[in-house]
């Protein structure tokens, strides 16, 4: 019976740590920008194609 109370105390402590980490992340601005990650892959693809579209240098 003692182990059950010990496991409940440990699980409540771990849950409190995760809640504290989540609240810290929210207060520090980790979730402020929710638009840019959705379109970031579009900008990355354009940057790669720009490098491939450079004209070749003429041979001397």
């Amino acid at each position: 019976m003692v182990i059950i109370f010990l496991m409940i105390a440990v699980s409540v402590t771990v849950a409190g740590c995760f809640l504290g980490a989540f609240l810290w992340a929210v207060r520090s601005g980790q979730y402020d920008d929710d638009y840019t990650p959705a379109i970031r892959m579009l900008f990355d693809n354009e940057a790669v194609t720009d490098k491939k579209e450079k004209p070749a240098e003429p041979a001397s």
Side-chain angles (χ1 to χ4, degrees):
M1 190 69 173
V2 174
I3 193 69
I4 292 174
F5 294 128
L6 179 67
M7 293 302 290
I8 290 173
V10 169
S11 65
V12 168
T13 303
V14 170
C17 290
F18 280 114
L19 179 63
F22 174 73
L23 292 176
W24 172 77
V26 169
R27 289 183 183 160
S28 68
Q30 294 290 320
Y31 298 109
D32 283 348
D33 186 16
D34 59 350
Y35 179 69
T36 304
I39 61 170
R40 184 176 298 149
M41 68 176 190
L42 299 175
F43 293 131
D44 288 343
N45 286 341
E46 289 176 5
V48 171
T49 57
D50 288 343
K51 291 179 183 177
K52 291 181 180 177
E53 293 177 3
K54 289 184 180 178
E57 296 179 11
S60 330

